[in-house]
Short mmCIF file of all heavy atoms in Angstrom, two decimals:
data_model
loop_
_atom_site.label_atom_id
_atom_site.label_comp_id
_atom_site.label_asym_id
_atom_site.label_seq_id
_atom_site.Cartn_x
_atom_site.Cartn_y
_atom_site.Cartn_z
N LEU X 89 12.93 8.29 14.39
CA LEU X 89 11.73 7.96 13.62
C LEU X 89 12.04 7.76 12.14
O LEU X 89 11.51 6.86 11.50
CB LEU X 89 10.66 9.04 13.81
CG LEU X 89 10.08 9.12 15.22
CD1 LEU X 89 9.18 10.34 15.35
CD2 LEU X 89 9.32 7.86 15.58
N ASN X 90 12.93 8.59 11.62
CA ASN X 90 13.34 8.45 10.22
C ASN X 90 14.02 7.09 9.99
O ASN X 90 13.72 6.40 9.01
CB ASN X 90 14.27 9.60 9.84
CG ASN X 90 14.62 9.58 8.37
OD1 ASN X 90 13.74 9.61 7.53
ND2 ASN X 90 15.91 9.54 8.07
N ARG X 91 14.92 6.70 10.89
CA ARG X 91 15.61 5.40 10.76
C ARG X 91 14.62 4.24 10.82
O ARG X 91 14.83 3.20 10.20
CB ARG X 91 16.67 5.23 11.85
CG ARG X 91 17.92 6.01 11.62
CD ARG X 91 19.07 5.60 12.53
NE ARG X 91 18.74 5.56 13.94
CZ ARG X 91 18.81 6.59 14.78
NH1 ARG X 91 19.19 7.78 14.33
NH2 ARG X 91 18.50 6.46 16.05
N LEU X 92 13.54 4.41 11.60
CA LEU X 92 12.55 3.35 11.72
C LEU X 92 11.58 3.30 10.54
O LEU X 92 10.76 2.39 10.45
CB LEU X 92 11.75 3.52 13.02
CG LEU X 92 12.55 3.29 14.30
CD1 LEU X 92 11.72 3.68 15.51
CD2 LEU X 92 12.99 1.84 14.40
N GLY X 93 11.65 4.28 9.65
CA GLY X 93 10.80 4.28 8.47
C GLY X 93 9.59 5.19 8.55
O GLY X 93 8.77 5.21 7.63
N PHE X 94 9.46 5.94 9.65
CA PHE X 94 8.35 6.88 9.75
C PHE X 94 8.50 7.97 8.69
O PHE X 94 9.61 8.37 8.35
CB PHE X 94 8.31 7.55 11.13
CG PHE X 94 7.67 6.71 12.20
CD1 PHE X 94 8.36 5.65 12.78
CD2 PHE X 94 6.39 6.98 12.64
CE1 PHE X 94 7.79 4.89 13.78
CE2 PHE X 94 5.80 6.22 13.64
CZ PHE X 94 6.50 5.17 14.22
N VAL X 95 7.37 8.43 8.17
CA VAL X 95 7.37 9.49 7.17
C VAL X 95 6.87 10.77 7.84
O VAL X 95 5.77 10.79 8.40
CB VAL X 95 6.46 9.13 5.97
CG1 VAL X 95 6.38 10.27 4.99
CG2 VAL X 95 6.96 7.86 5.31
N ARG X 96 7.71 11.79 7.77
CA ARG X 96 7.35 13.09 8.36
C ARG X 96 6.23 13.72 7.53
O ARG X 96 6.29 13.72 6.30
CB ARG X 96 8.59 13.97 8.36
CG ARG X 96 8.39 15.28 9.02
CD ARG X 96 9.68 16.08 8.98
NE ARG X 96 9.45 17.39 9.55
CZ ARG X 96 10.31 18.04 10.30
NH1 ARG X 96 11.49 17.52 10.53
NH2 ARG X 96 10.02 19.22 10.78
N HIS X 97 5.22 14.24 8.22
CA HIS X 97 4.09 14.83 7.52
C HIS X 97 4.06 16.34 7.66
O HIS X 97 4.40 17.05 6.73
CB HIS X 97 2.78 14.21 8.02
CG HIS X 97 1.59 14.62 7.23
ND1 HIS X 97 0.79 15.67 7.59
CD2 HIS X 97 1.07 14.14 6.09
CE1 HIS X 97 -0.17 15.82 6.71
NE2 HIS X 97 -0.02 14.90 5.78
N SER X 98 3.68 16.85 8.80
CA SER X 98 3.58 18.29 8.98
C SER X 98 3.82 18.67 10.43
O SER X 98 3.77 17.83 11.31
CB SER X 98 2.21 18.79 8.53
OG SER X 98 1.18 18.16 9.28
N GLU X 99 4.07 19.96 10.64
CA GLU X 99 4.21 20.47 12.00
C GLU X 99 2.86 20.99 12.47
O GLU X 99 2.11 21.59 11.69
CB GLU X 99 5.25 21.58 12.07
CG GLU X 99 6.66 21.08 11.99
CD GLU X 99 7.70 22.12 12.37
OE1 GLU X 99 7.36 23.09 13.06
OE2 GLU X 99 8.85 21.93 11.96
N ILE X 100 2.57 20.73 13.74
CA ILE X 100 1.33 21.20 14.34
C ILE X 100 1.65 21.81 15.71
O ILE X 100 2.74 21.59 16.24
CB ILE X 100 0.30 20.06 14.51
CG1 ILE X 100 0.87 18.95 15.42
CG2 ILE X 100 -0.13 19.50 13.16
CD1 ILE X 100 -0.13 17.91 15.84
N THR X 101 0.71 22.54 16.26
CA THR X 101 0.84 23.03 17.62
C THR X 101 -0.15 22.27 18.48
O THR X 101 -1.36 22.32 18.24
CB THR X 101 0.54 24.54 17.70
OG1 THR X 101 1.48 25.23 16.87
CG2 THR X 101 0.67 25.05 19.12
N LEU X 102 0.37 21.54 19.46
CA LEU X 102 -0.50 20.83 20.40
C LEU X 102 -0.83 21.77 21.55
O LEU X 102 0.06 22.46 22.07
CB LEU X 102 0.19 19.57 20.91
CG LEU X 102 0.46 18.51 19.85
CD1 LEU X 102 1.28 17.37 20.44
CD2 LEU X 102 -0.83 17.98 19.28
N PRO X 103 -2.09 21.83 21.95
CA PRO X 103 -2.48 22.78 22.98
C PRO X 103 -1.98 22.38 24.37
O PRO X 103 -1.67 21.22 24.62
CB PRO X 103 -4.01 22.73 22.94
CG PRO X 103 -4.32 21.36 22.44
CD PRO X 103 -3.22 21.03 21.47
N GLU X 104 -1.93 23.35 25.24
CA GLU X 104 -1.59 23.12 26.64
C GLU X 104 -2.66 22.22 27.27
O GLU X 104 -3.84 22.34 26.96
CB GLU X 104 -1.56 24.47 27.36
CG GLU X 104 -1.39 24.38 28.84
CD GLU X 104 -1.50 25.74 29.51
OE1 GLU X 104 -2.52 26.42 29.32
OE2 GLU X 104 -0.54 26.11 30.19
N ILE X 105 -2.21 21.30 28.12
CA ILE X 105 -3.12 20.44 28.87
C ILE X 105 -2.84 20.67 30.35
O ILE X 105 -1.71 20.49 30.80
CB ILE X 105 -2.92 18.95 28.52
CG1 ILE X 105 -3.25 18.73 27.05
CG2 ILE X 105 -3.78 18.06 29.41
CD1 ILE X 105 -2.93 17.34 26.55
N ASP X 106 -3.86 21.11 31.07
CA ASP X 106 -3.69 21.42 32.49
C ASP X 106 -4.78 20.70 33.28
O ASP X 106 -5.90 21.18 33.39
CB ASP X 106 -3.76 22.93 32.72
CG ASP X 106 -3.34 23.33 34.12
OD1 ASP X 106 -2.95 22.45 34.91
OD2 ASP X 106 -3.40 24.53 34.42
N LEU X 107 -4.44 19.51 33.79
CA LEU X 107 -5.37 18.70 34.57
C LEU X 107 -4.80 18.53 35.97
O LEU X 107 -3.64 18.83 36.22
CB LEU X 107 -5.54 17.32 33.92
CG LEU X 107 -6.01 17.31 32.46
CD1 LEU X 107 -5.95 15.90 31.90
CD2 LEU X 107 -7.40 17.88 32.35
N LEU X 108 -5.60 18.02 36.87
CA LEU X 108 -5.10 17.76 38.22
C LEU X 108 -3.92 16.80 38.21
O LEU X 108 -2.96 16.96 38.94
CB LEU X 108 -6.21 17.19 39.11
CG LEU X 108 -7.34 18.16 39.47
CD1 LEU X 108 -8.43 17.41 40.25
CD2 LEU X 108 -6.81 19.32 40.28
N GLU X 109 -3.99 15.79 37.34
CA GLU X 109 -2.98 14.72 37.33
C GLU X 109 -1.75 15.05 36.49
O GLU X 109 -0.69 14.46 36.68
CB GLU X 109 -3.58 13.41 36.79
CG GLU X 109 -4.77 12.90 37.56
CD GLU X 109 -6.10 13.53 37.13
OE1 GLU X 109 -6.13 14.24 36.09
OE2 GLU X 109 -7.08 13.35 37.84
N VAL X 110 -1.91 15.95 35.53
CA VAL X 110 -0.80 16.19 34.60
C VAL X 110 -0.89 17.61 34.02
O VAL X 110 -1.97 18.14 33.83
CB VAL X 110 -0.79 15.14 33.46
CG1 VAL X 110 -2.01 15.28 32.56
CG2 VAL X 110 0.47 15.24 32.63
N TYR X 111 0.28 18.17 33.77
CA TYR X 111 0.37 19.45 33.06
C TYR X 111 1.34 19.28 31.90
O TYR X 111 2.47 18.84 32.08
CB TYR X 111 0.87 20.58 33.97
CG TYR X 111 1.15 21.85 33.17
CD1 TYR X 111 0.10 22.65 32.76
CD2 TYR X 111 2.44 22.20 32.81
CE1 TYR X 111 0.32 23.79 32.00
CE2 TYR X 111 2.68 23.33 32.06
CZ TYR X 111 1.62 24.12 31.65
OH TYR X 111 1.85 25.23 30.90
N LEU X 112 0.88 19.60 30.71
CA LEU X 112 1.73 19.57 29.53
C LEU X 112 1.64 20.93 28.86
O LEU X 112 0.55 21.37 28.48
CB LEU X 112 1.27 18.49 28.54
CG LEU X 112 1.29 17.05 29.04
CD1 LEU X 112 0.63 16.12 28.03
CD2 LEU X 112 2.72 16.61 29.30
N PRO X 113 2.75 21.61 28.69
CA PRO X 113 2.71 22.93 28.03
C PRO X 113 2.43 22.77 26.54
O PRO X 113 2.62 21.69 25.96
CB PRO X 113 4.11 23.48 28.28
CG PRO X 113 4.96 22.29 28.45
CD PRO X 113 4.10 21.24 29.10
N GLU X 114 2.00 23.84 25.93
CA GLU X 114 1.83 23.85 24.47
C GLU X 114 3.15 23.45 23.83
O GLU X 114 4.22 23.80 24.34
CB GLU X 114 1.42 25.25 24.03
CG GLU X 114 1.26 25.39 22.52
CD GLU X 114 0.88 26.80 22.13
OE1 GLU X 114 -0.32 27.13 22.22
OE2 GLU X 114 1.78 27.56 21.73
N LYS X 115 3.09 22.72 22.72
CA LYS X 115 4.34 22.37 22.04
C LYS X 115 4.14 22.28 20.54
O LYS X 115 3.05 21.99 20.05
CB LYS X 115 4.93 21.05 22.55
CG LYS X 115 4.31 19.79 21.99
CD LYS X 115 5.14 18.54 22.34
CE LYS X 115 4.60 17.32 21.67
NZ LYS X 115 5.40 16.13 21.91
N ARG X 116 5.23 22.59 19.83
CA ARG X 116 5.27 22.38 18.38
C ARG X 116 5.68 20.93 18.18
O ARG X 116 6.66 20.47 18.76
CB ARG X 116 6.29 23.30 17.71
CG ARG X 116 5.95 24.75 17.75
CD ARG X 116 4.83 25.18 16.84
NE ARG X 116 5.09 24.85 15.44
CZ ARG X 116 4.14 24.72 14.52
NH1 ARG X 116 2.88 24.88 14.83
NH2 ARG X 116 4.45 24.43 13.29
N ALA X 117 4.91 20.20 17.41
CA ALA X 117 5.19 18.79 17.19
C ALA X 117 5.20 18.50 15.69
O ALA X 117 4.64 19.25 14.89
CB ALA X 117 4.13 17.93 17.87
N VAL X 118 5.84 17.41 15.35
CA VAL X 118 5.86 16.92 13.98
C VAL X 118 5.01 15.65 13.94
O VAL X 118 5.21 14.75 14.76
CB VAL X 118 7.29 16.59 13.51
CG1 VAL X 118 7.27 15.91 12.15
CG2 VAL X 118 8.14 17.84 13.47
N LEU X 119 4.06 15.60 13.02
CA LEU X 119 3.32 14.36 12.83
C LEU X 119 4.14 13.46 11.92
O LEU X 119 4.65 13.90 10.88
CB LEU X 119 1.96 14.63 12.18
CG LEU X 119 0.92 15.30 13.06
CD1 LEU X 119 -0.35 15.57 12.26
CD2 LEU X 119 0.61 14.46 14.28
N ALA X 120 4.28 12.21 12.32
CA ALA X 120 5.02 11.23 11.53
C ALA X 120 4.23 9.93 11.52
O ALA X 120 3.64 9.55 12.53
CB ALA X 120 6.41 11.01 12.10
N PHE X 121 4.20 9.26 10.38
CA PHE X 121 3.39 8.07 10.21
C PHE X 121 4.23 6.89 9.73
O PHE X 121 5.17 7.06 8.94
CB PHE X 121 2.29 8.33 9.17
CG PHE X 121 1.39 9.47 9.53
CD1 PHE X 121 1.59 10.72 9.00
CD2 PHE X 121 0.33 9.28 10.41
CE1 PHE X 121 0.76 11.78 9.33
CE2 PHE X 121 -0.49 10.33 10.76
CZ PHE X 121 -0.28 11.59 10.22
N LEU X 122 3.87 5.72 10.21
CA LEU X 122 4.50 4.48 9.76
C LEU X 122 3.37 3.51 9.44
O LEU X 122 2.64 3.07 10.32
CB LEU X 122 5.40 3.88 10.84
CG LEU X 122 6.08 2.56 10.48
CD1 LEU X 122 7.08 2.76 9.34
CD2 LEU X 122 6.77 1.96 11.69
N ASP X 123 3.20 3.21 8.15
CA ASP X 123 2.17 2.25 7.74
C ASP X 123 2.66 0.84 7.96
O ASP X 123 3.85 0.54 7.80
CB ASP X 123 1.82 2.44 6.26
CG ASP X 123 1.04 3.72 6.01
OD1 ASP X 123 0.21 4.07 6.86
OD2 ASP X 123 1.27 4.36 4.98
N HIS X 124 1.73 -0.04 8.32
CA HIS X 124 2.04 -1.46 8.48
C HIS X 124 2.56 -1.97 7.15
O HIS X 124 1.99 -1.67 6.09
CB HIS X 124 0.77 -2.21 8.89
CG HIS X 124 1.01 -3.63 9.26
ND1 HIS X 124 1.44 -4.57 8.35
CD2 HIS X 124 0.88 -4.28 10.44
CE1 HIS X 124 1.56 -5.74 8.96
NE2 HIS X 124 1.23 -5.58 10.23
#
Side-chain angles (χ1 to χ4, degrees):
L89 292 172
N90 186 56
R91 283 193 309 273
L92 292 172
F94 279 77
V95 176
R96 185 180 176 142
H97 188 265
S98 59
E99 285 193 21
I100 60 170
T101 300
L102 295 174
E104 173 185 56
I105 297 173
D106 191 2
L107 304 172
L108 291 175
E109 302 84 11
V110 66
Y111 172 77
L112 299 172
E114 178 181 279
K115 80 168 186 177
R116 293 287 302 158
V118 172
L119 288 177
F121 301 98
L122 179 66
D123 289 323
H124 188 294

